[in-house]
Amino acid sequence: MDTPLSWRERLYVVVFQTDTVAGRRFDSLLLLIILASLITVVLDSIDEVHQNYAGLLAGIEWGFTAIFLAEYVVRLYCSPKPLRYAFSFYGLVDLLAIVPGIIALYYSDAQYLLIIRVIRMLRIFRVLKLSPYLKQAHYLLAALRGSKQKIIVFLVSVSTLVTVFGTLMYVVEGPEHGFTSIPKGIYWAIVTLTTVGFGDIVPKTPLGQVISSMVMITGYSIIAVPTGIFTAELANAMRGEQLQHDCPVCRKNNHEHGAAFCSRCGNALFKKME
Amino acid sequence: MDTPLSWRERLYVVVFQTDTVAGRRFDSLLLLIILASLITVVLDSIDEVHQNYAGLLAGIEWGFTAIFLAEYVVRLYCSPKPLRYAFSFYGLVDLLAIVPGIIALYYSDAQYLLIIRVIRMLRIFRVLKLSPYLKQAHYLLAALRGSKQKIIVFLVSVSTLVTVFGTLMYVVEGPEHGFTSIPKGIYWAIVTLTTVGFGDIVPKTPLGQVISSMVMITGYSIIAVPTGIFTAELANAMRGEQLQHDCPVCRKNNHEHGAAFCSRCGNALFKKME
Amino acid sequence: MDTPLSWRERLYVVVFQTDTVAGRRFDSLLLLIILASLITVVLDSIDEVHQNYAGLLAGIEWGFTAIFLAEYVVRLYCSPKPLRYAFSFYGLVDLLAIVPGIIALYYSDAQYLLIIRVIRMLRIFRVLKLSPYLKQAHYLLAALRGSKQKIIVFLVSVSTLVTVFGTLMYVVEGPEHGFTSIPKGIYWAIVTLTTVGFGDIVPKTPLGQVISSMVMITGYSIIAVPTGIFTAELANAMRGEQLQHDCPVCRKNNHEHGAAFCSRCGNALFKKME
Amino acid sequence: MDTPLSWRERLYVVVFQTDTVAGRRFDSLLLLIILASLITVVLDSIDEVHQNYAGLLAGIEWGFTAIFLAEYVVRLYCSPKPLRYAFSFYGLVDLLAIVPGIIALYYSDAQYLLIIRVIRMLRIFRVLKLSPYLKQAHYLLAALRGSKQKIIVFLVSVSTLVTVFGTLMYVVEGPEHGFTSIPKGIYWAIVTLTTVGFGDIVPKTPLGQVISSMVMITGYSIIAVPTGIFTAELANAMRGEQLQHDCPVCRKNNHEHGAAFCSRCGNALFKKME
């Protein structure tokens, strides 16, 4: 009774890990299949393609859903802790990649939910040499986490600004110039403040253009704020700043980068050889 | 005669502070009411909603105005220094949140001024755990204050640029391409320099397009200036938790927060009195 | 014969300097007049205003030109070195502020050249407390100068990119979609790369949209380059980084910020008091 | 038999190097010719010019192609290692600058490929004083290389985001508002996320405008990420002129360029062999 277990273990190594050649090949193949299934969904949304190949594409999508279903069952089977996998981030995403394909049999619009498979593409970092990317992602996340509160302050200020300016423009320009309601005004303010500037709604009155100019210059200037926050935090995260060294006298263990003497007890941190 | 005073004090703690459970609940409830009143104003501005529920919404707005009026009176009543509250930033905002509701009875457009209540939403920082946000806001403000003069230099240069380019485009393109006056030209220059680019006014002549290209590349490049200013200042402000004190021997002027000895020369930073 | 000279000197102090009360008042008044003359030019460009008040505005403009002419003569008269003033930056700008007003008598479009007076507004920094602004402007200029070569490398790369993409789009999209010539394509590429996006010319073919996406993502990413250059240089300019101190043994006079020992001879830079 | 060799050598110095006056003059002349040939291609693409001067411009283009062909042959002839030149970056670009001119004889649209000559303009850095620009370009490249992995993480995240948002908008807005397929939706998401905002496709439904607002605010905020990455890396690259060497005593790992002793502990960085 040792063989089936060992089978499961071998499967586990191939399906869940990327250290072995077989494991890496499996993940590469899986990525290709995911990509192909995404392309199928995208192609099916183009009108000319849909009219000519609707049946064919539906069949292919079915095939991919079947493959992913099989993969999901295998993962559940060979995982040592199936429940833990099923409720992990990847487990849920893997499930979500199958469900819409089955729903689509009854309600055809559900197929667009298949695009959720794009999240499975994040596995790509497992196929590329993993660790350096993880370290970089870690820096980025550390910088984002460190700036979380500053970013909330920033977003709350921007929301306030956008609400006030949007209402102002609604009052000044009015429905005859496209500002048909306050939400529309707020939408316009976001379009303008972020410097996107679609041009679907534009100010027509001189006063409206003066207010717009203020919104634009504000938006142009305060983009400096998230950039500044993030850059400062990232530089911090990357520098790792302090000197880790026990003071031989008072045991203070972190010091300024260039410290020669302990700032607590004043003794030399390093013996000078003579 | 001690009870009414204690009543006022208890009210004060609930209404003005957030340390107690009751105080926090009061502020949370207030935020919800403000939000609801904002949503009412916004909904009322949508045409379909207004036509069907004008009366209902007007009534609800009235209710909110009454609540805020009551709150304002309570604040005045329980505040130990009512006048100081009345003329403080929050006091004025609280008043401004009521007045338009009353004016709206006679002049219905005034209701849009109610949007000023959005400023009251800034109280949200009091309900969230206050101090870390204040500290971050303090960093941001310190960075802004430190870069004030640089920003004025920058804004004056941008204004000059925009005026010159706007006039140039007015002369080059002329009224037949939408540049009907110099102010319009300046408006266009702001739209372009800030990279918003609505597209409501666009250059048609080759010379106009060459000038536009210059404006765009200028705008694309000088966005680096406010960003650079702000980032450098913010990095400064964040580093600036350091001790600013000249070492009496080597003149090193910034030290670790709790430093007793200079980390460069090892001498005591402060003379010990004996 | 001492009085006329002293008169000129007194005039000189008032007209050219801002240290005295009279000098500051003179400059403030001048700024107001310049601003008024600018507003006149701007107002005259608005069609409705021009049709009703053409004569009046022309008269006012004449008045301003006369005032500036008088001022220019006075400056020439009281300047100790009139030629040097006449050929200085401010001297030339002052002259340029007069000439178009005189030309406009014969050729009325020349009046728009009067907008050049906006450059005279830069005197505003002399009226505001001068020196801190100069110092900040100095930092900004130092940062720009330090990054000159990097910026040239950047601009040459951008020009190459824009030419290649513009031509590509001309070939791919062709005249029927608004890309009527290569210069037009380059104009479009600039509009897109700088993220302005007027929308007057947009790609219609799938291939054109793919190329556009590449241009946009490139433009969105490389905005980091001028920003990074400028920020890094500005941070450098503001830090003023090194320790200025003579090594007591070898006289090396600048060291790393936190240096305790000379990196050339290894001797302690500062005596430790005991 | 020494003269022909010396002839080739002299040619080599003129054609390939920029140290001599002749060499610099040759490169300057070449740049002018390249520029002229680019202008010819660009002019030929303008309809009015093409209709009147098609023959003349074709002749001129022919002339330039002949000149570049001659130059290519000379380079092959005088190069000490012709094959190595032929397969170098510059050699291939030089060849590519000729081929389309010859193809254009049979297939006239190929002339636009001539725009590839713009890449030859990069030689301009050889004519300007070379080394400082190379050093700056080196910094920029070092910063880009150092941030390669962070940028890949960033681009993969952006691609995922854009795919999800594009599909979402296709489902929400549908073909009747211009979102005719998922690729179109992705194109729109890129236009919006990069804050270009052409305005050729805009959301019309309230839900679509809410999603758009999220895309725009995301795009406006995450522009901080490439900027922060690049700035931090560039600052690193610029600081990195330092000596990377572990101090044998205190392990300080970066020092002034010419350091002999550690500035932190005063010990010799390198053991003196005796």
Side-chain angles (χ1 to χ4, degrees), chain C residues 244-256:
Chain C
Q244 304 295 331
H245 178 81
D246 276 16
C247 169
V249 176
C250 76
R251 300 286 150 207
K252 185 172 189 296
N253 63 354
N254 59 344
H255 307 270
E256 276 185 275

Side-chain angles (χ1 to χ4, degrees), chain A:
Chain A
M1 293 301 277
D2 197 60
T3 352
L5 239 174
S6 134
W7 243 103
R8 267 177 68 186
E9 280 174 357
R10 263 190 265 160
L11 253 178
Y12 176 78
V13 167
V14 171
V15 172
F16 278 96
Q17 296 183 346
T18 53
D19 307 347
T20 60
V21 175
R24 185 158 290 157
R25 265 189 207 150
F26 176 82
D27 268 347
S28 301
L29 183 69
L30 189 59
L31 278 175
L32 282 179
I33 296 175
I34 295 169
L35 202 62
S37 88
L38 285 175
I39 291 169
T40 313
V41 175
V42 166
L43 280 179
D44 198 26
S45 77
I46 303 172
D47 215 38
E48 300 96 80
V49 177
H50 185 75
Q51 282 173 354
N52 295 320
Y53 305 100
L56 177 64
L57 288 170
I60 295 175
E61 270 168 38
W62 241 122
F64 286 128
T65 303
I67 293 172
F68 291 141
L69 184 59
E71 182 218 340
Y72 187 66
V73 171
V74 168
R75 279 185 193 268
L76 276 182
Y77 166 70
C78 70
S79 171
K81 294 174 181 168
L83 270 179
R84 211 175 131 190
Y85 160 71
F87 288 101
S88 72
F89 173 71
Y90 277 118
L92 290 170
V93 168
D94 292 352
L95 185 62
L96 279 171
I98 307 164
V99 173
I102 295 165
I103 301 176
L105 283 183
Y106 305 96
Y107 177 62
S108 74
D109 262 15
Q111 60 164 311
Y112 297 124
L113 296 174
L114 291 171
I115 210 74
I116 212 154
R117 287 175 183 163
V118 76
I119 299 175
R120 299 197 72 191
M121 291 300 286
L122 292 179
R123 274 170 207 272
I124 203 163
F125 289 119
R126 303 188 47 182
V127 178
L128 302 173
K129 261 195 296 170
L130 190 65
S131 59
Y133 290 91
L134 275 195
K135 198 174 150 198
Q136 301 303 330
H138 168 81
Y139 279 148
L140 294 181
L141 286 179
L144 283 178
R145 220 176 306 120
S147 46
K148 208 187 70 184
Q149 295 172 325
K150 283 201 207 69
I151 285 173
I152 287 179
V153 170
F154 175 70
L155 284 182
V156 168
S157 314
V158 164
S159 305
T160 306
L161 226 66
V162 154
T163 311
V164 169
F165 275 123
T167 309
L168 214 62
M169 287 300 284
Y170 169 65
V171 173
V172 167
E173 291 276 330
E176 63 273 26
H177 295 145
F179 294 81
T180 51
S181 63
I182 292 183
K184 204 100 177 190
I186 294 175
Y187 164 70
W188 173 88
I190 294 173
V191 168
T192 306
L193 194 86
T194 57
T195 78
V196 171
F198 281 134
D200 52 344
I201 314 171
V202 290
K204 298 272 166 54
T205 63
L207 182 55
Q209 293 177 343
V210 168
I211 298 172
S212 302
S213 300
M214 282 166 50
V215 178
M216 287 181 258
I217 289 178
T218 307
Y220 186 67
S221 304
I222 62 175
I223 202 172
V225 176
T227 308
I229 292 169
F230 187 77
T231 306
E233 287 290 343
L234 188 62
N236 251 0
M238 283 168 65
R239 219 180 304 144
E241 200 122 354
Q242 288 189 305
L243 168 64
Q244 304 294 332
H245 178 80
D246 275 15
C247 170
V249 177
C250 76
R251 299 286 151 208
K252 185 174 187 296
N253 63 355
N254 60 343
H255 307 270
E256 275 184 277
H257 186 68
F261 297 91
C262 177
S263 71
R264 186 156 70 194
C265 64
N267 285 290
L269 289 169
F270 305 97
K271 216 184 344 206
K272 184 146 182 211
M273 317 236 170
E274 273 165 276

Side-chain angles (χ1 to χ4, degrees), chain B residues 142-151 224-239 253-254, chain C residues 132 135-144 146 229-242 257, chain D residues 238:
Chain B
L144 283 178
R145 220 176 305 122
S147 46
K148 208 187 70 185
Q149 294 172 325
K150 283 202 207 67
I151 284 173
V225 176
T227 307
I229 292 169
F230 187 78
T231 307
E233 287 290 343
L234 188 61
N236 251 1
M238 284 168 65
R239 218 181 302 135
N253 62 355
N254 58 344
Chain C
K135 197 174 151 200
Q136 301 303 331
H138 168 79
Y139 279 148
L140 294 182
L141 286 178
L144 283 178
I229 293 169
F230 187 79
T231 306
E233 288 291 342
L234 188 61
N236 251 0
M238 282 168 67
R239 220 179 303 143
E241 200 122 354
Q242 287 189 305
H257 186 68
Chain D
M238 283 168 65

Side-chain angles (χ1 to χ4, degrees), chain C:
Chain C
M1 293 303 276
D2 198 59
T3 355
L5 239 175
S6 131
W7 242 104
R8 268 177 68 187
E9 281 174 357
R10 263 191 265 160
L11 253 179
Y12 176 77
V13 168
V14 171
V15 172
F16 276 94
Q17 297 183 344
T18 53
D19 307 346
T20 59
V21 175
R24 185 158 289 157
R25 264 187 208 153
F26 176 82
D27 268 346
S28 301
L29 183 68
L30 188 60
L31 278 174
L32 282 180
I33 296 175
I34 295 168
L35 202 64
S37 88
L38 285 174
I39 291 170
T40 312
V41 175
V42 166
L43 280 179
D44 198 25
S45 78
I46 303 171
D47 215 38
E48 302 95 80
V49 177
H50 185 74
Q51 283 173 354
N52 295 321
Y53 305 100
L56 177 63
L57 289 171
I60 294 175
E61 269 169 38
W62 240 122
F64 286 128
T65 305
I67 292 172
F68 292 140
L69 184 60
E71 182 217 340
Y72 187 67
V73 170
V74 167
R75 278 186 193 269
L76 276 183
Y77 166 70
C78 71
S79 171
K81 293 174 181 171
L83 270 179
R84 211 175 130 191
Y85 160 70
F87 288 100
S88 72
F89 173 70
Y90 277 119
L92 290 171
V93 168
D94 290 352
L95 186 61
L96 279 171
I98 306 164
V99 173
I102 295 166
I103 300 176
L105 283 182
Y106 303 95
Y107 178 61
S108 75
D109 261 16
Q111 61 165 311
Y112 297 124
L113 297 174
L114 290 171
I115 210 74
I116 211 154
R117 287 175 184 163
V118 76
I119 300 175
R120 299 198 72 191
M121 291 299 287
L122 292 180
R123 275 170 208 271
I124 204 164
F125 290 118
R126 304 187 46 180
V127 177
L128 301 173
K129 261 196 294 169
L130 190 64
S131 59
Y133 290 91
L134 274 195
K135 197 174 151 200
Q136 301 303 331
H138 168 79
Y139 279 148
L140 294 182
L141 286 178
L144 283 178
R145 220 176 304 121
S147 47
K148 209 188 69 186
Q149 295 172 326
K150 282 201 208 70
I151 285 173
I152 288 178
V153 170
F154 175 71
L155 284 181
V156 169
S157 315
V158 165
S159 306
T160 306
L161 227 67
V162 154
T163 311
V164 169
F165 275 123
T167 310
L168 214 61
M169 288 300 284
Y170 169 66
V171 174
V172 167
E173 291 276 331
E176 64 274 26
H177 295 145
F179 294 81
T180 51
S181 63
I182 292 183
K184 204 98 176 190
I186 295 175
Y187 164 71
W188 174 87
I190 294 174
V191 168
T192 305
L193 193 85
T194 56
T195 77
V196 171
F198 280 135
D200 52 344
I201 314 172
V202 291
K204 299 273 166 51
T205 64
L207 183 55
Q209 292 177 342
V210 169
I211 298 173
S212 303
S213 300
M214 283 165 51
V215 178
M216 286 181 257
I217 288 177
T218 308
Y220 186 66
S221 304
I222 64 175
I223 203 172
V225 176
T227 306
I229 293 169
F230 187 79
T231 306
E233 288 291 342
L234 188 61
N236 251 0
M238 282 168 67
R239 220 179 303 143
E241 200 122 354
Q242 287 189 305
L243 168 64
Q244 304 295 331
H245 178 81
D246 276 16
C247 169
V249 176
C250 76
R251 300 286 150 207
K252 185 172 189 296
N253 63 354
N254 59 344
H255 307 270
E256 276 185 275
H257 186 68
F261 298 91
C262 176
S263 72
R264 186 155 70 194
C265 65
N267 284 291
L269 288 169
F270 305 96
K271 217 185 342 205
K272 183 149 181 208
M273 318 234 171
E274 273 165 277

Side-chain angles (χ1 to χ4, degrees), chain D residues 162-183:
Chain D
V162 154
T163 311
V164 169
F165 275 123
T167 309
L168 214 62
M169 288 300 283
Y170 168 66
V171 173
V172 168
E173 291 276 330
E176 63 273 26
H177 295 144
F179 294 80
T180 52
S181 63
I182 292 183

